[in-house]
Amino acid sequence: MSSGGDEREHNLTPTIGSGNGGGADSLYMFIKKEVIPFVEQNYRTYNYRILGGASYGGLFVMNAFVKDPLYFNGYIAMSPSMWWDNQIALQNTEKLLSKSTQLPTRLFITLANEGESMGVDSLASLLKKYSTKQLVWRYDKHPDEIHNTINYKGIWDGVKFIFSNWSYPLVDFASAEKPFTVPSKDKIVANPKIAKVPTANLINYSGLYQDSYGRLISIEKLQNSLVISCDSLPSFTVYPESKNKFFIKTETALNDMHLKNVLIQFEFSPKDSLTMCANDITYFGAKKVISSPLISLSEQSKKEYVGNYIASIPSNNFKISIINNSLMISTGMATSKMYAIATNKFFIKISGLNLEITFTKDDSGKIAKVYISKDGEMLMTANKSN
């Protein structure tokens, strides 16, 4: 919401200060007690709240963070006026941080070319000194921006930081606290009868797909069913109702995805693609990117790849580690799961690129050279350093 004109200073500052401030607490309680309940009662919302503001608005955000640090899931303070009333907000922030051992929230602060007089550098120093691991925070300085433009850059960067671990849901936003009833033409949605399909069909559908959101989805055969996995989503089993159509049981959707009265179906086409629908509404499509099924590696085989790698392009050095039983490749900018398509070859999606990474070994059985390619074209090589 906007608070401008002559009332801006009063509404957004926590104390009287030079004589016109002191209304921040009242505005905050109006937002908390009236605005948010009204919105949540009349509109479909997700149980995740973010508060953001610039200048006096940034000061308002920091005052809310100090007074009620867990009400919002994320706070974005852009060039906050921490200088206000002899830096009273800095003093209150230090009191909170010095005594609170648990602050499971996210805080993003930024500053334009305004210098130390804003008090934001001091705020960052307090966060560095006191904050715990549960408080995830970041401070960005933008000397190329001025006070009146920092909000454009700050909102964009702040939202990306707050939602850095967010991913598109399978069907729709839902949680145990706020389950969602999926729209349906039928009053009651029931599971189809499970069919028996040829093993050849199950093997043919197995593989690695990329959906319309850019997510990689792996599908593996499991007896007379398929297991679908995605880095950002839990794994789930789908059961056949016909040779090319599979479904997630309604009880699984309710208990694990918190989606009521929904039949989620996956339909495979002869052209190595699939469509996902919920109650006959299409949510996304996906195309197979690896023609053959993925392979499983032993724990010992996985350990052979763990280590640091020096790339032929120095800025692209990377590290391979095992996280939750999966091989993961990390650069300075991103981390991605490695999908085994052969004992020495993997498919990865990193920084938006679909790549293949191939390992060769020397006579002693140790990794000697790594080749990274895109669409069959070599991009770079790498050597294992340890």
Side-chain angles (χ1 to χ4, degrees):
M1 62 185 297
S2 175
S3 180
D6 296 336
E7 297 299 316
R8 178 176 173 79
E9 181 177 291
H10 173 76
N11 290 341
L12 298 178
T13 55
T15 58
I16 294 177
S18 58
N20 190 40
D25 288 347
S26 296
L27 176 60
Y28 178 76
M29 293 309 297
F30 170 70
I31 294 172
K32 180 177 180 178
K33 298 296 185 180
E34 297 188 41
V35 176
I36 291 177
F38 176 83
V39 171
E40 293 185 339
Q41 182 177 354
N42 291 279
Y43 299 92
R44 183 167 176 257
T45 61
Y46 186 55
N47 58 324
Y48 197 97
R49 306 185 187 101
I50 300 175
L51 182 66
S55 191
Y56 281 154
L59 176 64
F60 180 85
V61 169
M62 289 309 303
N63 183 63
F65 171 76
V66 169
K67 299 291 182 65
D68 203 1
L70 301 183
Y71 185 70
F72 288 88
N73 303 88
Y75 297 83
I76 302 174
M78 298 163 284
S79 289
S81 302
M82 303 303 290
W83 53 266
W84 175 264
D85 196 5
N86 296 313
Q87 300 187 338
I88 184 66
L90 278 177
Q91 299 169 36
N92 292 335
T93 302
E94 183 170 20
K95 290 178 183 177
L96 170 70
L97 295 175
S98 62
K99 68 179 181 180
S100 298
T101 58
Q102 294 185 345
L103 289 173
T105 190
R106 301 178 78 90
L107 171 63
F108 178 84
I109 55 176
T110 186
L111 180 68
N113 63 346
E114 299 148 287
E116 296 183 1
S117 61
M118 288 291 289
V120 184
D121 286 339
S122 299
L123 172 59
S125 297
L126 290 176
L127 289 165
K128 186 176 181 179
K129 178 179 179 180
Y130 291 112
S131 65
T132 64
K133 291 182 178 180
Q134 286 188 313
L135 173 59
V136 182
W137 66 279
R138 194 172 95 188
Y139 176 34
D140 282 357
K141 301 181 74 171
H142 294 286
D144 54 332
E145 301 293 342
I146 62 174
H147 190 72
N148 291 334
T149 63
I150 189 61
N151 55 317
Y152 301 105
K153 177 69 172 172
I155 290 174
W156 177 248
D157 290 345
V159 168
K160 286 197 297 182
F161 170 74
I162 297 296
F163 287 109
S164 59
N165 296 323
W166 182 86
S167 61
Y168 289 100
L170 179 66
V171 174
D172 215 321
F173 294 111
S175 66
E177 296 80 13
K178 289 191 175 182
F180 175 57
T181 301
V182 180
S184 173
K185 296 178 181 178
D186 302 318
K187 291 184 178 180
I188 300 177
V189 174
N191 291 323
K193 183 179 179 181
I194 297 177
K196 178 67 177 179
V197 300
T199 300
N201 288 63
L202 298 173
I203 294 175
N204 182 55
Y205 299 144
S206 300
L208 190 64
Y209 295 73
Q210 183 168 284
D211 73 6
S212 47
Y213 294 113
R215 297 177 296 197
L216 290 178
I217 299 173
S218 63
I219 299 180
E220 299 178 77
K221 174 186 174 297
L222 179 66
Q223 297 176 341
N224 188 44
S225 61
L226 297 172
V227 176
I228 298 182
S229 303
C230 180
D231 281 346
S232 54
L233 298 170
S235 298
F236 44 87
T237 302
V238 295
Y239 299 90
E241 55 180 290
S242 67
K243 288 185 178 181
N244 69 323
K245 201 168 187 178
F246 294 71
F247 69 95
I248 296 177
K249 291 182 177 179
T250 57
E251 53 267 33
T252 300
L254 176 61
N255 297 330
D256 297 345
M257 304 174 191
H258 314 296
L259 299 171
K260 295 181 180 179
N261 200 48
V262 60
L263 179 63
I264 302 172
Q265 296 167 301
F266 292 80
E267 185 169 357
F268 294 86
S269 78
K271 297 182 179 180
D272 285 339
S273 62
L274 64 85
T275 302
M276 195 286 282
C277 298
N279 292 352
D280 296 323
I281 298 174
T282 299
Y283 276 79
F284 65 79
K287 184 75 175 177
K288 188 180 278 190
V289 292
I290 296 297
S291 58
S292 57
L294 300 173
I295 69 169
S296 298
L297 297 178
S298 67
E299 294 304 311
Q300 184 59 40
S301 296
K302 293 177 185 177
K303 291 178 181 178
E304 294 178 357
Y305 298 104
V306 173
N308 296 301
Y309 292 79
I310 307 300
S312 56
I313 303 176
S315 59
N316 290 333
N317 293 342
F318 58 90
K319 177 182 179 180
I320 295 178
S321 56
I322 298 177
I323 302 176
N324 296 329
N325 297 320
S326 296
L327 281 173
M328 306 293 291
I329 181 169
S330 303
T331 66
M333 299 296 292
T335 298
S336 175
K337 184 176 179 179
M338 299 172 61
Y339 296 90
I341 55 181
T343 55
N344 68 326
K345 183 180 291 188
F346 299 82
F347 184 94
I348 63 173
K349 181 182 178 69
I350 196 162
S351 299
L353 298 176
N354 292 341
L355 306 172
E356 285 190 3
I357 178 168
T358 305
F359 297 81
T360 62
K361 297 182 179 180
D362 57 24
D363 294 337
S364 65
K366 294 183 179 179
I367 294 174
K369 201 79 172 179
V370 183
Y371 300 89
I372 301 174
S373 60
K374 182 180 184 298
D375 299 328
E377 180 180 348
M378 189 63 57
L379 298 181
M380 67 178 187
T381 62
N383 295 303
K384 191 176 182 183
S385 62
N386 60 15

